Amino acid sequence: MENIYLYMIIALAILAVADLVVGVSNDAVNFLNSAIGSKAITFKTVMIVASLGVAVGAVFSSGMMEVARKGIFNPGEFMFNEIMIIFMAVMITDILLLDFFNTIGMPTSTTVSIVFELLGAAVAMALIKIGHDGGNFDDVVNYINTSKASQIIFGIVLSVVVAFSIGALVQWVSRLLLSYNFEKKANWVGALFGGLALTAITYFIFMKGLKGTSYANQPFDLLGGDTMKDYLEHQVLYIILISSVIWSLLAFAAITLFKTNIYKLIIIVGTFALALAFAGNDLVNFIGVPIAAYNAFTEWTASGLAADAFPMDVLAEKVPTNNLLLFIAGIIMVLTIWFSTKARNVVKTSLDLSSQSATKERFQPNFLSRGFVRVAIGMSQMSSYILPETWQAKIDKQFEVPVIKISKDKVHELPAFDMVRAAVNLMVAAVLISLATSYKLPLSTTYVTFMVAMGTSLADRAWGAESAVYRVAGVLNVIGGWFFTAFSAFVAAALVAYLLNLNLQVMFPLLLVAAFGLLLRNYIAHNKKSKEEKAEDTLTKAESSSVQGVIHESASNIASVVKRGNRIYTNAVKGLAKQDLTLLKKNKKQVIKLSDEVDELRDNIFYFIKNLDESSIGASNFYINILGYLQDMTQSLEYISRVSHKHINNNHKKLKFNQIKELKQVDDKVEVLFNDIKEAFDSGSFEKIGAILNEKTEVYDLVKQKIQAQVARTRTEESSPKNTTLYFGLLLETKDLLNATMNLLEEYHGAHDSSIKPAVITEDDAEKA
């Protein structure tokens, strides 16, 4: 039995590495978001700066490790065997929960997950002990560190409100003072902003790093006998005022003498600070539990007592963390930042929600998001009545996104996620996180950075009428996911602890294998999905400004829609013939994806038309018509796929042999037609379109013939209304699909001919004119 605890320590070490990987994949968004979003510095530079910050922060994070040992529960109330069950339950639950959120690309809080897992597992073990001893439910408070746990939970909830409010306020003031033309402001303005930002960031870097070092608690004669740490804590205002002056003067010199872009410098330092604060604050979430378990194991082996007779009072004492372990953890975190594809997936969610430019909205609006937007509009209208019109006009001017000339008759908006917003995001988030860390409060870095980014987006008017309901819905979805994290972490950890307690020798290897099996399954599924997305044809936005350019750019889109449409149609017929529900379900997802891509192209029409030359306005009519026909095609395919899936999913009668046979004949004809179209557009042989158009009568006649055959069958032998409805629906929608396809070909054929063959004006035409 004693050997099993050694195996558990080994397993916890392996789980710690796995947790570091999945945890950093989730939390990388916290410090990469602003630098990547603003594109102020190259991606490689961002990664190098973040890696340095993580490495330094990891080494100085030992003080936070006490949270895992005594922050949530009272270790002296548990025996060694019970503590090991709690720690194992926490780690198994943590990696599975975080990996789930990484896979779906949603940022969640590693702090909330670890806190509620410790709470859930400890409560489960406490209830088991109380039940065994015949105690009352009220005795649970003896086992749980209620004051500290309440403080942590309250701090996490409060951080959401504080981060959003402070982020919005600082961004609003910054934009009001700097506007979007911040680079054209006087040098002293940039120097003052830079001085304040760098003071805030570097002070908390110093505080954060200093509190983890050994000399921080040594008295210094120069400081009147105070320790360096105490001096910095007691003289905050004095130090900040002096630092602001020094940094502002240095920033002014850098801008004036070396032409330094102070905003880029703030982003670099801020990224380093946020990465450092993340590692210092969140490393406990990944390795705090395994380190606490190792400390408990070494004390137990030295005691010589039985596992169920050795109380864990030792965990309540302050134990320094091995610096080598912190260094190794830092290396693993750095490697994860560089190589994790899931990390970039989570970053994309945050960037999409905070972007001021048009993006593909991932979230659908709901009644809550619509309600919040209506309230915000109402408050905005009230403020316009309160403030004088001249004030309102001046404020609006500062928030006006300027346009610049790229070339004659072309306009393009400046990147809205600019360096001012990126600097504010980093400055505010770094200060809040480092401040919480200095008080050893494991505040959620994800909540803070995400809500700061959302607050600055709101203040910067990034959520306009075009996107507000989608962005607010996205924020509500993410926050809802956070509540789900807390609830599921508590319940899952409690359940795993209960199962381990039933029979440790059986359940420990079983749950461990199940956990790694699920991790492996998610990894394989994620890789497969990534490869499919890369291999899948995707539609591209038109960027040319001439008819000829749009013709060639649209060719690849048409070839892609035809190829994918051909596959969708064939799979629908095949799924009906074989009654293959899995194939039809997959087919339904594919056509929805295709339809969304076409809708996205239509959403881009505004920007396409804006970028056209005056001499190429005709390209807009052609492009709009092409997109209209593509949308008609996808709508027909969507209907065919949906009704086929619905028929089989509802267990209706199988189509008759003659109906399946006729559908396959139509499918074969459609496949030949679509293959010819795809070949013509892939090769750019647009002259073949004329020959394909000449074949349309043959395809139409075949569909009409099958419709007439079904009419005859219905009058004489057909007995299933559902089958008849489905069959007619498929044929009629096939007819619409062919109509849309042929209309597209005619549009293309006409545009291509006119673009390569200039119109010749005859004498008769001239006389008529």
Side-chain angles (χ1 to χ4, degrees), residues 475-497:
V475 173
L476 292 174
N477 270 276
V478 173
I479 294 174
W482 295 346
F483 284 105
F484 173 77
T485 299
F487 175 77
S488 56
F490 183 92
V491 173
L495 178 62
V496 174

Side-chain angles (χ1 to χ4, degrees), residues 415-472:
F417 196 107
D418 65 354
M419 289 186 277
V420 168
R421 178 132 63 101
V424 171
N425 284 346
L426 292 163
M427 175 176 63
V428 174
V431 166
L432 291 175
I433 294 166
S434 298
L435 183 62
T437 303
S438 68
Y439 288 104
K440 294 187 179 178
L441 182 68
L443 157 150
S444 169
T445 54
T446 303
Y447 288 10
V448 170
T449 53
F450 182 82
M451 294 311 294
V452 165
M454 296 305 104
T456 57
S457 301
L458 176 66
D460 221 15
R461 302 184 180 181
W463 299 349
E466 304 288 338
S467 61
V469 289
Y470 304 100
R471 304 287 175 83
V472 174

Side-chain angles (χ1 to χ4, degrees), residues 294-529:
Y294 178 72
N295 291 339
F297 179 77
T298 54
E299 293 293 335
W300 170 69
T301 51
S303 71
L305 297 174
D308 58 357
F310 183 63
M312 285 284 97
D313 300 276
V314 65
L315 291 183
E317 299 172 8
K318 187 173 179 63
V319 182
T321 308
N322 189 308
N323 285 329
L324 179 61
L325 291 178
L326 295 176
F327 177 74
I328 293 171
I331 294 297
I332 294 170
M333 294 166 85
V334 169
L335 291 174
T336 303
I337 294 169
W338 281 91
F339 298 109
S340 174
T341 55
K342 289 185 179 181
R344 297 178 191 184
N345 202 23
V346 179
V347 170
K348 186 178 184 303
T349 299
S350 184
L351 286 178
D352 287 347
L353 288 175
S354 58
S355 173
Q356 195 162 0
S357 58
T359 61
K360 183 180 180 181
E361 304 295 349
R362 283 185 53 183
F363 301 94
Q364 293 303 312
N366 51 51
F367 75 97
L368 281 175
S369 68
R370 294 188 185 100
F372 278 124
V373 170
R374 289 191 184 104
V375 170
I377 291 171
M379 291 174 66
S380 176
Q381 289 172 343
M382 284 178 62
S383 68
S384 65
Y385 294 135
I386 296 170
L387 291 175
E389 289 185 11
T390 53
W391 288 22
Q392 191 70 41
K394 287 179 181 179
I395 291 172
D396 289 341
K397 188 175 182 181
Q398 293 298 90
F399 283 83
E400 184 179 317
V401 181
V403 293
I404 56 171
K405 296 281 183 181
I406 293 178
S407 61
K408 188 179 179 181
D409 301 321
K410 280 192 179 181
V411 291
H412 187 75
E413 289 187 334
L414 284 169
F417 196 107
D418 65 354
M419 289 186 277
V420 168
R421 178 132 63 101
V424 171
N425 284 346
L426 292 163
M427 175 176 63
V428 174
V431 166
L432 291 175
I433 294 166
S434 298
L435 183 62
T437 303
S438 68
Y439 288 104
K440 294 187 179 178
L441 182 68
L443 157 150
S444 169
T445 54
T446 303
Y447 288 10
V448 170
T449 53
F450 182 82
M451 294 311 294
V452 165
M454 296 305 104
T456 57
S457 301
L458 176 66
D460 221 15
R461 302 184 180 181
W463 299 349
E466 304 288 338
S467 61
V469 289
Y470 304 100
R471 304 287 175 83
V472 174
V475 173
L476 292 174
N477 270 276
V478 173
I479 294 174
W482 295 346
F483 284 105
F484 173 77
T485 299
F487 175 77
S488 56
F490 183 92
V491 173
L495 178 62
V496 174
Y498 171 75
L499 293 173
L500 287 170
N501 184 72
L502 285 178
N503 191 325
L504 186 60
Q505 289 182 311
V506 173
M507 298 307 299
F508 162 58
L510 195 64
L511 289 171
L512 202 61
V513 169
F516 281 111
L518 285 170
L519 279 178
L520 183 63
R521 177 179 171 272
N522 285 347
Y523 175 77
I524 293 170
H526 177 74
N527 273 2
K528 184 180 178 184
K529 185 180 178 181

Side-chain angles (χ1 to χ4, degrees), residues 52-190:
L52 289 172
V54 167
V56 174
V59 173
F60 295 135
S61 64
S62 60
M64 291 296 297
M65 295 301 162
E66 293 178 38
V67 174
R69 290 195 292 266
K70 59 181 181 180
I72 306 301
F73 56 85
N74 299 318
E77 298 293 330
F78 295 97
M79 298 300 167
F80 172 71
N81 61 325
E82 295 161 346
I83 281 288
M84 290 300 290
I85 287 174
I86 291 173
F87 288 158
M88 183 57 66
V90 167
M91 292 303 292
I92 288 174
T93 305
D94 200 51
I95 59 170
L96 292 178
L97 189 65
L98 293 181
D99 190 63
F100 166 74
F101 276 95
N102 292 344
T103 302
I104 62 174
M106 291 278 278
T108 191
S109 170
T110 54
T111 304
V112 167
S113 64
I114 203 75
V115 165
F116 279 90
E117 283 154 5
L118 282 166
L119 196 59
V123 167
M125 284 307 302
L127 291 175
I128 291 169
K129 283 172 70 70
I130 290 168
H132 185 267
D133 298 338
N136 297 320
F137 181 78
D138 295 340
D139 295 336
V140 171
V141 295
N142 297 327
Y143 295 88
I144 306 302
N145 188 348
T146 51
S147 61
K148 185 65 175 178
S150 301
Q151 182 188 9
I152 290 170
I153 293 167
F154 178 73
I156 288 169
V157 173
L158 185 64
S159 70
V160 173
V161 180
V162 171
F164 185 85
S165 305
I166 294 180
L169 178 62
V170 175
Q171 177 61 34
W172 190 82
V173 172
S174 300
R175 185 64 71 197
L176 191 64
L177 296 174
L178 298 171
S179 78
Y180 279 95
N181 293 313
F182 55 91
E183 291 180 331
K184 296 179 181 178
K185 295 287 181 182
N187 289 347
W188 68 267
V189 176

Side-chain angles (χ1 to χ4, degrees), residues 518-644:
L518 285 170
L519 279 178
L520 183 63
R521 177 179 171 272
N522 285 347
Y523 175 77
I524 293 170
H526 177 74
N527 273 2
K528 184 180 178 184
K529 185 180 178 181
S530 299
K531 288 177 182 176
E532 284 177 355
E533 286 177 354
K534 287 179 182 177
E536 184 66 86
D537 298 319
T538 53
L539 307 186
T540 55
K541 298 174 184 176
E543 295 179 351
S544 294
S545 58
S546 64
V547 175
Q548 189 65 29
V550 174
I551 285 173
H552 285 280
E553 282 184 355
S554 299
S556 61
N557 283 344
I558 293 169
S560 177
V561 171
V562 167
K563 174 188 171 185
R564 292 160 70 179
N566 193 5
R567 184 171 65 239
I568 289 165
Y569 191 89
T570 299
N571 285 341
V573 174
K574 197 178 290 184
L576 283 170
K578 296 181 178 180
Q579 291 188 299
D580 189 340
L581 187 60
T582 304
L583 177 63
L584 291 172
K585 188 176 180 180
K586 184 179 178 183
N587 206 41
K588 193 177 172 185
K589 288 181 181 178
Q590 289 178 341
V591 75
I592 289 172
K593 183 175 182 293
L594 177 60
S595 181
D596 287 344
E597 288 180 30
V598 173
D599 286 344
E600 192 177 352
L601 291 182
R602 287 180 68 87
D603 291 341
N604 191 56
I605 285 176
F606 171 81
Y607 304 100
F608 168 73
I609 294 174
K610 263 192 170 292
N611 286 336
L612 287 176
D613 290 323
E614 288 293 339
S615 59
S616 303
I617 297 301
S620 62
N621 294 325
F622 169 74
Y623 189 57
I624 290 168
N625 289 338
I626 290 295
L627 290 181
Y629 295 135
L630 287 178
Q631 191 171 46
D632 291 342
M633 290 172 68
T634 56
Q635 285 174 348
S636 295
L637 290 167
E638 201 168 352
Y639 175 85
I640 291 167
S641 178
R642 187 178 71 251
V643 296
S644 302

